[in-house]
Amino acid sequence: MKYLCSVYPRVSATGLPPAAGVSLLFGARDLNRALQRLGHLLGEGDSAVLWRLAQAGAGFTNCREESAMKYLCLVYSDEEKLYSLPESPEDAECRAYAESVAESGRMIAAEALEPVSSATTVRMRAGKVMITDGPFAETKEQLAGFYLLDAQNLDEALDIAAGIPAARVGCVEVRPVREL
């Protein structure tokens, strides 16, 4: 099974969460193994949200030899409205768009996520791992999936994000991946 994990570094001295986090994509046999692996990745004061991917192995991978900038496109929508609005995309349309981006050589990975009810939030406090069901924060829109792109620049990443069918009923947050 594949998991996407968003790690949020410890809260700043102002008490506000940091503006940037890190997203990790990894495989694990089951949720307990994924949580165990995540516990090893978290530092003191860090928080994380762990998402189980909807279709393990169904992501599109097309790594390129030449390196461009990586961008993560986080697709958000209201789960209750995602498939009920007239402009809602069908799964076949979403797959076709992802395949076209993969064929362009810009796709590194893309996955749909299970419903937000399957999310597990992990926090490391005082040397102990705290696990709670559900998302990191209550929001009107939930993370529905992601695209990890290899784009020449932000404009190219934004063009690709604008074509994501789910953007018609939700939004797509585009963030550069920080190179470590």
Side-chain angles (χ1 to χ4, degrees), residues 60 62 64 94-110 147-150 159-161 163-165:
F60 301 91
N62 191 8
R64 295 162 33 121
C94 295
R95 273 192 298 278
Y97 183 73
E99 288 171 2
S100 73
V101 176
E103 289 169 5
S104 77
R106 296 291 174 220
M107 180 79 71
I108 296 172
Y147 286 66
L148 181 59
L149 305 175
D150 190 13
D159 285 343
I160 294 168
I164 296 173

Side-chain angles (χ1 to χ4, degrees), residues 47-63:
S47 297
V49 179
L50 185 66
W51 301 89
R52 189 178 73 213
L53 300 182
Q55 300 172 351
F60 301 91
T61 303
N62 191 8
C63 294

Side-chain angles (χ1 to χ4, degrees), residues 83-155:
Y83 295 108
S84 63
L85 299 172
E87 60 272 13
S88 294
E90 298 288 330
D91 286 342
E93 179 187 7
C94 295
R95 273 192 298 278
Y97 183 73
E99 288 171 2
S100 73
V101 176
E103 289 169 5
S104 77
R106 296 291 174 220
M107 180 79 71
I108 296 172
E111 296 281 358
L113 299 176
E114 292 288 347
V116 71
S117 61
S118 71
T120 303
T121 298
V122 180
R123 292 178 176 88
M124 177 68 83
R125 300 291 187 270
K128 296 188 189 269
V129 175
M130 298 180 346
I131 299 170
T132 55
D133 292 337
F136 180 70
E138 294 295 324
T139 60
K140 184 176 179 181
E141 294 180 325
Q142 296 83 30
L143 184 61
F146 71 93
Y147 286 66
L148 181 59
L149 305 175
D150 190 13
Q152 292 301 316
N153 53 44
L154 179 60
D155 289 335

Side-chain angles (χ1 to χ4, degrees), residues 66 73 94 162:
E66 62 185 76
C73 299
C94 295

Side-chain angles (χ1 to χ4, degrees), residues 12-65:
S12 69
T14 65
L16 299 173
V22 174
S23 291
L24 308 167
L25 179 65
F26 62 87
R29 190 170 45 213
D30 56 33
L31 179 60
N32 287 332
R33 296 260 184 195
L35 291 171
Q36 195 174 50
R37 186 168 178 189
L38 180 57
H40 294 293
L41 298 172
L42 290 178
E44 184 65 35
D46 290 350
S47 297
V49 179
L50 185 66
W51 301 89
R52 189 178 73 213
L53 300 182
Q55 300 172 351
F60 301 91
T61 303
N62 191 8
C63 294
R64 295 162 33 121
E65 298 246 344

